[in-house]
Every structure is written in C-alpha cells, then in structure tokens.
Amino acid sequence: DIQMTQSPSSLSASLGDRVTITCRASQDIGNYLTWFQQKPGKSPRRMIYGATNLEDGVPSRFSGSRSGSDYSLTISSLESEDVADYHCLQSIQYPLTFGSGTKLEIK
Amino acid sequence: EVQLVESGGVLVQPGRSMKLSCAASGFTFSSFPMAWVRQAPTKGLEWVATISTSGGSTYYRDSVKGRFTISRDNAKSTLYLQMDSLRSEDTATYYCTTGPYWGQGVMVTVSS
C-alpha cells in the first residue's frame, strides 16, 4: 500500500501568514494527488486535484505544488475562514490512501 | 445542483448487518465511478470501497473485504453499501463521493 505521510499534524498561524502543508508519498503517484478541506461537522470539500489544479470556486490564495514525492498545499495569506482540517489523498493505486490530516488554527 | 444523500445509518450490534444508500441527483450518475469513504470519530478520512460506472469492477480496503459489498443501481441513481459482520471499529460517519461531490454523511455506530 502507498503511505501518505502528512505534516504537520497541527498548525497554528496568524491571519495573513503563508501556510504550507505537505504530503510525502511512499511510492510514485505521479500527479494523482488531491487536497480536501474539512470544516468541523461538515463534509470534505475538494480544493486541489491533479496535484496542482484548483477546484472551481476555491479562492486563488490556495495552490498545490509538487517536488518529487512531496506534495504541498499552500495558502498564500491565511484568512479566518480557512480554519479547518486538511487531508491529502493518493488515487493512483488501490487501496486509495489519505494522509493523517492537518488541523489548521488561527494563532 | 448535484446532490448526494446518504441514508440508513443507525446503531447496530456487533456481528449484525446494515445497508447504506446514497441517492444521487443533478448529474449523470451512470457516467461516474462512486466511492464510500468513512471517518471514525475524531479521526481522519479512510477510503472504504469504489465501484466502476457499470458496477462490473469493485475495490475494497482489506479490513472490509469479504464483509462489505458496494453496489449501484444506475436506473435509480443510487449507490449502496451492504455491511455484514459489523465490528466496533466500523463505527464512523460514512460518506458517498465522486469527483468533487460528497454527501452529508451518515453515522454508523456498532455497539452492544
């Protein structure tokens, strides 16, 4: 199975900060990487697909990138509405595997 | 508007069975593979199963293989998850999903 190692597990940042969350894949997953945002008590929302493609309606302060086996979700300027859990998912191979999640809070 | 509406969640005893449904609308259901993803209380997301557009191919995580069955009725635009021999570790909110779309989730509690 492909392991997705997500870091950090929690993150506290100030409004306006640049925030980066990373997932490292244990095997080659190409660009089969999706990022989800999940607010408390809500269903996940797809933010980024194909590692770098922004979902329709997602603010442009969100972006996805890849460097080798490391995949990153970056928020260029943190806003209060970005407080949520963030999850990565690899979908190149079954079983599909998620990262362990990152809880993002405002400092 | 795309909608995925799960139903069927309830409290069930270990070893018993339960069937979840997911009614889809607002898109051509038969054209999309569908999946179930679950989330145990205070835990992360966990993929459970995926079914192809025709239903001819299914995929499961090891911990549910042989106990859970994913199926679909394209005429009714409905996805199912038959869960047998339920265990306490199956306690979770179950979501149906495809692409960017997610249902609201349905809670399944396995407890005596």
Side-chain angles (χ1 to χ4, degrees):
Chain A
D1 298 1
I2 296 174
Q3 308 303 315
M4 299 301 298
T5 302
Q6 186 169 345
S7 61
S9 57
S10 64
L11 177 57
S12 182
S14 300
L15 296 175
D17 280 357
R18 182 181 182 87
V19 168
T20 297
I21 299 166
T22 298
C23 276
R24 173 169 292 176
S26 63
Q27 301 175 35
D28 180 25
I29 62 168
N31 285 334
Y32 287 83
L33 190 286
T34 305
W35 288 101
F36 297 92
Q37 176 193 67
Q38 187 178 27
K39 296 186 177 181
K42 299 294 187 182
S43 302
R45 175 192 182 188
R46 192 171 79 172
M47 306 295 279
I48 302 283
Y49 62 95
T52 61
N53 300 294
L54 196 67
E55 189 66 46
D56 288 346
V58 172
S60 59
R61 64 181 180 275
F62 288 87
S63 64
S65 62
R66 173 189 177 186
S67 176
S69 61
D70 289 343
Y71 298 79
S72 296
L73 173 71
T74 298
I75 306 172
S76 60
S77 180
L78 186 65
E79 298 193 8
S80 57
E81 66 183 34
D82 302 334
V83 169
D85 292 335
Y86 292 84
H87 311 269
C88 66
L89 168 70
Q90 69 78 17
S91 57
I92 196 171
Q93 177 186 113
Y94 292 106
L96 307 187
T97 45
F98 286 90
S100 54
T102 295
K103 178 177 288 292
L104 176 59
E105 299 174 325
I106 301 294
K107 193 181 295 182
Chain B
E1 180 194 7
V2 171
Q3 282 197 311
L4 296 170
V5 180
E6 300 97 338
S7 60
V10 73
L11 172 64
V12 64
Q13 292 179 327
R16 303 296 292 266
S17 297
M18 177 187 298
K19 188 171 186 176
L20 304 182
S21 300
C22 172
S25 60
F27 67 104
T28 306
F29 179 76
S30 59
S31 296
F32 291 84
M34 296 294 298
W36 289 97
V37 171
R38 68 186 180 185
Q39 186 171 35
T42 73
K43 301 296 185 183
L45 298 172
E46 184 175 82
W47 170 78
V48 175
T50 294
I51 188 167
S52 62
T53 53
S54 67
S57 295
T58 56
Y59 310 88
Y60 300 91
R61 67 179 302 102
D62 283 349
S63 62
V64 308
K65 214 171 285 185
R67 300 188 299 122
F68 288 13
T69 303
I70 188 172
S71 62
R72 65 192 297 162
D73 185 335
N74 285 341
K76 294 183 178 179
S77 295
T78 302
L79 176 72
Y80 303 101
L81 186 67
Q82 174 68 43
M83 303 184 292
D84 298 324
S85 303
L86 281 161
R87 305 168 180 168
S88 58
E89 54 264 38
D90 296 319
T91 294
T93 296
Y94 285 73
Y95 297 98
C96 69
T97 178
T98 184
Y101 308 116
W102 291 69
Q104 84 285 358
V106 63
M107 184 66 200
V108 172
T109 302
V110 183
S111 175
S112 54

